[in-house]
Amino acid sequence: MADHVDQVLAQWAVRRPDLDVSPMAVIGRLSRLSRLVDAELRRTFTAHGLDAASFDVLATLRRSDPPHSLTPAELMRSSMVTSGAITQRLDRLEARGLVSRSPSASDGRSVVVALTGAGRDLIDEALPDHVATEARLLAALTEGERDALATVLGTLLESLGEQSGTSGKGEQGGKGEQSAKDGKA
Amino acid sequence: MADHVDQVLAQWAVRRPDLDVSPMAVIGRLSRLSRLVDAELRRTFTAHGLDAASFDVLATLRRSDPPHSLTPAELMRSSMVTSGAITQRLDRLEARGLVSRSPSASDGRSVVVALTGAGRDLIDEALPDHVATEARLLAALTEGERDALATVLGTLLESLGEQSGTSGKGEQGGKGEQSAKDGKA
DNA sequence: CCCAGATGTCTTAGCGCTGAGATACATTGC
DNA sequence: GCAATGTATCTCAGCGCTAAGACATCTGGG
């Protein structure tokens, strides 16, 4: 397997033999693969009139408890983007009638974002295609390789401080108001 | 050890038990990990007055044959961004005196981009920090795990570099344009 | 030689994100 | 009560990228 990253490693070995660039074998491939995967997923989103950012929000709402509503702060934590990005995502989705915003009853600063019927229909229609695309992207791996990959990536995520919010350390306060995590799965 | 992606999987199992969302265990973690890694690498770049895009170009030039020069088209293929992005990256680097552009002697359409002395100094100074950061990001893995990870990611990259769409269900709009261009031969 | 299509570079409009900060409300300690 | 601090949302300028396309130049088949 002489892929692009192997070439890069070979070039560095000549140009900078003093450096141990072996970490690039992992990080470089991770980076390139992520780009390719993103580009491929985007095609599915586009086919359903969506983009990754919109899909992320709709999917996060969809998998939360009925009536599929969360606050912008929760969406922000789930998607790893800034609050400004969430505001703008919601502006776009609201303008299309896919989500609604209403004032929170319990917190005067906050807003409740809910899936509309149209939003739910759209995400429910796009989801099967999305997971099919993901499955196709992984088709080259055996089930054992897939599991091993998921495990190793999980190890790395944990080591980098990715916390699960409602599990692990068990330090959750009563209402545990940190449901949906992660975006673009 | 339940990370965010495990929670997402558990939520989907409740909300959409009809779907097999297991591919998300890999793709979701890949996506999140890539975000975290990018954010971490950016700190090293910033410490050297660079960003990921500039580092990418300088490093690509640095590891090419002396006199460390390539054409924009070659840089484009290596970095997986569009030609417009390369033009703008080069504009920025040229304005800082880190690269130079001169007309190609052999092809009237083309341009030769070369590292300047300042550009070479900067990338040579940033590189050790960069690989050290990468090594630190992987510190949680054993050498065996790192090798296995690199191998599996390589398998995926190759499978996507060759397939690049036009497979799977026929319902999708099957325009296998580009999207999965890898810099390999 | 000439033309049609391929290729290389650059241009521009538009998009989504970040980072900094404004504003309003909530919570805590005293 | 009230000030100090924390939290939630939104605003906005700036940035880098993409998509589409404008040109110029190259290449190969009549």
PDB file of all heavy atoms in Angstrom, chain A residues 48-51 54 90-99 116 118 122:
ATOM      1  N   HIS A  48     -30.646  15.457  -0.446  1.00  0.00           N
ATOM      2  CA  HIS A  48     -31.854  15.684   0.339  1.00  0.00           C
ATOM      3  C   HIS A  48     -32.042  17.163   0.673  1.00  0.00           C
ATOM      4  O   HIS A  48     -32.803  17.504   1.580  1.00  0.00           O
ATOM      5  CB  HIS A  48     -31.792  14.860   1.632  1.00  0.00           C
ATOM      6  CG  HIS A  48     -31.918  13.385   1.395  1.00  0.00           C
ATOM      7  ND1 HIS A  48     -33.133  12.724   1.319  1.00  0.00           N
ATOM      8  CD2 HIS A  48     -30.979  12.430   1.184  1.00  0.00           C
ATOM      9  CE1 HIS A  48     -32.928  11.436   1.094  1.00  0.00           C
ATOM     10  NE2 HIS A  48     -31.635  11.224   1.008  1.00  0.00           N
ATOM     11  N   GLY A  49     -31.343  18.015  -0.033  1.00  0.00           N
ATOM     12  CA  GLY A  49     -31.497  19.443   0.204  1.00  0.00           C
ATOM     13  C   GLY A  49     -30.906  19.908   1.518  1.00  0.00           C
ATOM     14  O   GLY A  49     -31.377  20.881   2.106  1.00  0.00           O
ATOM     15  N   LEU A  50     -29.875  19.214   1.972  1.00  0.00           N
ATOM     16  CA  LEU A  50     -29.268  19.564   3.259  1.00  0.00           C
ATOM     17  C   LEU A  50     -27.767  19.784   3.102  1.00  0.00           C
ATOM     18  O   LEU A  50     -27.204  19.548   2.040  1.00  0.00           O
ATOM     19  CB  LEU A  50     -29.506  18.428   4.271  1.00  0.00           C
ATOM     20  CG  LEU A  50     -30.921  18.262   4.795  1.00  0.00           C
ATOM     21  CD1 LEU A  50     -31.063  16.954   5.555  1.00  0.00           C
ATOM     22  CD2 LEU A  50     -31.284  19.436   5.691  1.00  0.00           C
ATOM     23  N   ASP A  51     -27.162  20.245   4.166  1.00  0.00           N
ATOM     24  CA  ASP A  51     -25.708  20.249   4.253  1.00  0.00           C
ATOM     25  C   ASP A  51     -25.339  19.642   5.602  1.00  0.00           C
ATOM     26  O   ASP A  51     -26.212  19.337   6.419  1.00  0.00           O
ATOM     27  CB  ASP A  51     -25.147  21.665   4.110  1.00  0.00           C
ATOM     28  CG  ASP A  51     -25.800  22.622   5.071  1.00  0.00           C
ATOM     29  OD1 ASP A  51     -26.042  22.238   6.228  1.00  0.00           O
ATOM     30  OD2 ASP A  51     -26.081  23.761   4.682  1.00  0.00           O
ATOM     31  N   SER A  54     -26.734  21.491   8.767  1.00  0.00           N
ATOM     32  CA  SER A  54     -28.174  21.339   8.978  1.00  0.00           C
ATOM     33  C   SER A  54     -28.520  19.922   9.396  1.00  0.00           C
ATOM     34  O   SER A  54     -29.328  19.693  10.306  1.00  0.00           O
ATOM     35  CB  SER A  54     -28.932  21.693   7.693  1.00  0.00           C
ATOM     36  OG  SER A  54     -28.766  23.061   7.380  1.00  0.00           O
ATOM     37  N   LEU A  90     -29.428  27.766  13.194  1.00  0.00           N
ATOM     38  CA  LEU A  90     -30.848  27.790  13.548  1.00  0.00           C
ATOM     39  C   LEU A  90     -31.601  28.825  12.715  1.00  0.00           C
ATOM     40  O   LEU A  90     -32.754  28.598  12.338  1.00  0.00           O
ATOM     41  CB  LEU A  90     -31.013  28.064  15.044  1.00  0.00           C
ATOM     42  CG  LEU A  90     -30.477  26.951  15.952  1.00  0.00           C
ATOM     43  CD1 LEU A  90     -30.606  27.344  17.425  1.00  0.00           C
ATOM     44  CD2 LEU A  90     -31.186  25.626  15.689  1.00  0.00           C
ATOM     45  N   ASP A  91     -30.940  29.946  12.438  1.00  0.00           N
ATOM     46  CA  ASP A  91     -31.576  30.942  11.565  1.00  0.00           C
ATOM     47  C   ASP A  91     -31.954  30.314  10.223  1.00  0.00           C
ATOM     48  O   ASP A  91     -33.063  30.514   9.711  1.00  0.00           O
ATOM     49  CB  ASP A  91     -30.622  32.108  11.314  1.00  0.00           C
ATOM     50  CG  ASP A  91     -30.450  33.015  12.529  1.00  0.00           C
ATOM     51  OD1 ASP A  91     -31.263  32.895  13.480  1.00  0.00           O
ATOM     52  OD2 ASP A  91     -29.523  33.835  12.536  1.00  0.00           O
ATOM     53  N   ARG A  92     -31.027  29.569   9.675  1.00  0.00           N
ATOM     54  CA  ARG A  92     -31.291  28.974   8.361  1.00  0.00           C
ATOM     55  C   ARG A  92     -32.397  27.943   8.447  1.00  0.00           C
ATOM     56  O   ARG A  92     -33.303  27.904   7.598  1.00  0.00           O
ATOM     57  CB  ARG A  92     -30.008  28.317   7.830  1.00  0.00           C
ATOM     58  CG  ARG A  92     -28.859  29.295   7.642  1.00  0.00           C
ATOM     59  CD  ARG A  92     -27.719  28.712   6.822  1.00  0.00           C
ATOM     60  NE  ARG A  92     -26.986  27.623   7.444  1.00  0.00           N
ATOM     61  CZ  ARG A  92     -25.903  27.787   8.219  1.00  0.00           C
ATOM     62  NH1 ARG A  92     -25.462  29.001   8.500  1.00  0.00           N
ATOM     63  NH2 ARG A  92     -25.273  26.749   8.715  1.00  0.00           N
ATOM     64  N   LEU A  93     -32.327  27.098   9.466  1.00  0.00           N
ATOM     65  CA  LEU A  93     -33.327  26.036   9.587  1.00  0.00           C
ATOM     66  C   LEU A  93     -34.704  26.604   9.904  1.00  0.00           C
ATOM     67  O   LEU A  93     -35.724  26.100   9.424  1.00  0.00           O
ATOM     68  CB  LEU A  93     -32.899  25.042  10.679  1.00  0.00           C
ATOM     69  CG  LEU A  93     -31.695  24.174  10.317  1.00  0.00           C
ATOM     70  CD1 LEU A  93     -31.188  23.438  11.553  1.00  0.00           C
ATOM     71  CD2 LEU A  93     -32.071  23.170   9.227  1.00  0.00           C
ATOM     72  N   GLU A  94     -34.722  27.657  10.696  1.00  0.00           N
ATOM     73  CA  GLU A  94     -36.004  28.267  11.045  1.00  0.00           C
ATOM     74  C   GLU A  94     -36.625  28.917   9.806  1.00  0.00           C
ATOM     75  O   GLU A  94     -37.834  28.820   9.592  1.00  0.00           O
ATOM     76  CB  GLU A  94     -35.792  29.301  12.158  1.00  0.00           C
ATOM     77  CG  GLU A  94     -37.080  29.776  12.807  1.00  0.00           C
ATOM     78  CD  GLU A  94     -36.805  30.766  13.941  1.00  0.00           C
ATOM     79  OE1 GLU A  94     -35.768  31.478  13.879  1.00  0.00           O
ATOM     80  OE2 GLU A  94     -37.615  30.828  14.882  1.00  0.00           O
ATOM     81  N   ALA A  95     -35.774  29.561   9.007  1.00  0.00           N
ATOM     82  CA  ALA A  95     -36.280  30.218   7.793  1.00  0.00           C
ATOM     83  C   ALA A  95     -36.887  29.193   6.839  1.00  0.00           C
ATOM     84  O   ALA A  95     -37.805  29.504   6.077  1.00  0.00           O
ATOM     85  CB  ALA A  95     -35.152  30.986   7.104  1.00  0.00           C
ATOM     86  N   ARG A  96     -36.398  27.969   6.901  1.00  0.00           N
ATOM     87  CA  ARG A  96     -36.949  26.923   6.028  1.00  0.00           C
ATOM     88  C   ARG A  96     -38.107  26.185   6.691  1.00  0.00           C
ATOM     89  O   ARG A  96     -38.652  25.236   6.111  1.00  0.00           O
ATOM     90  CB  ARG A  96     -35.849  25.911   5.676  1.00  0.00           C
ATOM     91  CG  ARG A  96     -34.758  26.489   4.807  1.00  0.00           C
ATOM     92  CD  ARG A  96     -33.733  25.424   4.460  1.00  0.00           C
ATOM     93  NE  ARG A  96     -34.324  24.279   3.760  1.00  0.00           N
ATOM     94  CZ  ARG A  96     -33.679  23.145   3.476  1.00  0.00           C
ATOM     95  NH1 ARG A  96     -32.416  23.007   3.850  1.00  0.00           N
ATOM     96  NH2 ARG A  96     -34.272  22.166   2.834  1.00  0.00           N
ATOM     97  N   GLY A  97     -38.428  26.557   7.894  1.00  0.00           N
ATOM     98  CA  GLY A  97     -39.547  25.912   8.575  1.00  0.00           C
ATOM     99  C   GLY A  97     -39.240  24.517   9.086  1.00  0.00           C
ATOM    100  O   GLY A  97     -40.144  23.718   9.319  1.00  0.00           O
ATOM    101  N   LEU A  98     -37.944  24.208   9.280  1.00  0.00           N
ATOM    102  CA  LEU A  98     -37.583  22.862   9.716  1.00  0.00           C
ATOM    103  C   LEU A  98     -37.452  22.761  11.232  1.00  0.00           C
ATOM    104  O   LEU A  98     -37.538  21.670  11.791  1.00  0.00           O
ATOM    105  CB  LEU A  98     -36.273  22.437   9.041  1.00  0.00           C
ATOM    106  CG  LEU A  98     -36.340  22.424   7.506  1.00  0.00           C
ATOM    107  CD1 LEU A  98     -34.977  22.110   6.905  1.00  0.00           C
ATOM    108  CD2 LEU A  98     -37.382  21.418   7.016  1.00  0.00           C
ATOM    109  N   VAL A  99     -37.200  23.886  11.872  1.00  0.00           N
ATOM    110  CA  VAL A  99     -37.197  23.918  13.335  1.00  0.00           C
ATOM    111  C   VAL A  99     -37.963  25.168  13.774  1.00  0.00           C
ATOM    112  O   VAL A  99     -38.187  26.080  12.985  1.00  0.00           O
ATOM    113  CB  VAL A  99     -35.765  23.961  13.934  1.00  0.00           C
ATOM    114  CG1 VAL A  99     -34.912  22.832  13.403  1.00  0.00           C
ATOM    115  CG2 VAL A  99     -35.116  25.301  13.686  1.00  0.00           C
ATOM    116  N   THR A 116     -39.882  20.793  13.623  1.00  0.00           N
ATOM    117  CA  THR A 116     -41.255  20.900  13.111  1.00  0.00           C
ATOM    118  C   THR A 116     -41.606  19.579  12.424  1.00  0.00           C
ATOM    119  O   THR A 116     -40.755  18.702  12.251  1.00  0.00           O
ATOM    120  CB  THR A 116     -41.361  22.028  12.085  1.00  0.00           C
ATOM    121  OG1 THR A 116     -40.534  21.705  10.959  1.00  0.00           O
ATOM    122  CG2 THR A 116     -40.926  23.361  12.672  1.00  0.00           C
ATOM    123  N   ALA A 118     -42.222  19.216   9.336  1.00  0.00           N
ATOM    124  CA  ALA A 118     -41.426  19.161   8.096  1.00  0.00           C
ATOM    125  C   ALA A 118     -39.983  18.770   8.396  1.00  0.00           C
ATOM    126  O   ALA A 118     -39.371  18.005   7.643  1.00  0.00           O
ATOM    127  CB  ALA A 118     -41.474  20.519   7.393  1.00  0.00           C
ATOM    128  N   LEU A 122     -38.145  15.434   7.030  1.00  0.00           N
ATOM    129  CA  LEU A 122     -36.931  15.520   6.218  1.00  0.00           C
ATOM    130  C   LEU A 122     -35.802  14.667   6.794  1.00  0.00           C
ATOM    131  O   LEU A 122     -35.143  13.908   6.071  1.00  0.00           O
ATOM    132  CB  LEU A 122     -36.488  16.984   6.106  1.00  0.00           C
ATOM    133  CG  LEU A 122     -35.250  17.251   5.259  1.00  0.00           C
ATOM    134  CD1 LEU A 122     -35.397  16.639   3.870  1.00  0.00           C
ATOM    135  CD2 LEU A 122     -34.998  18.751   5.139  1.00  0.00           C
TER     136      LEU A 122
END
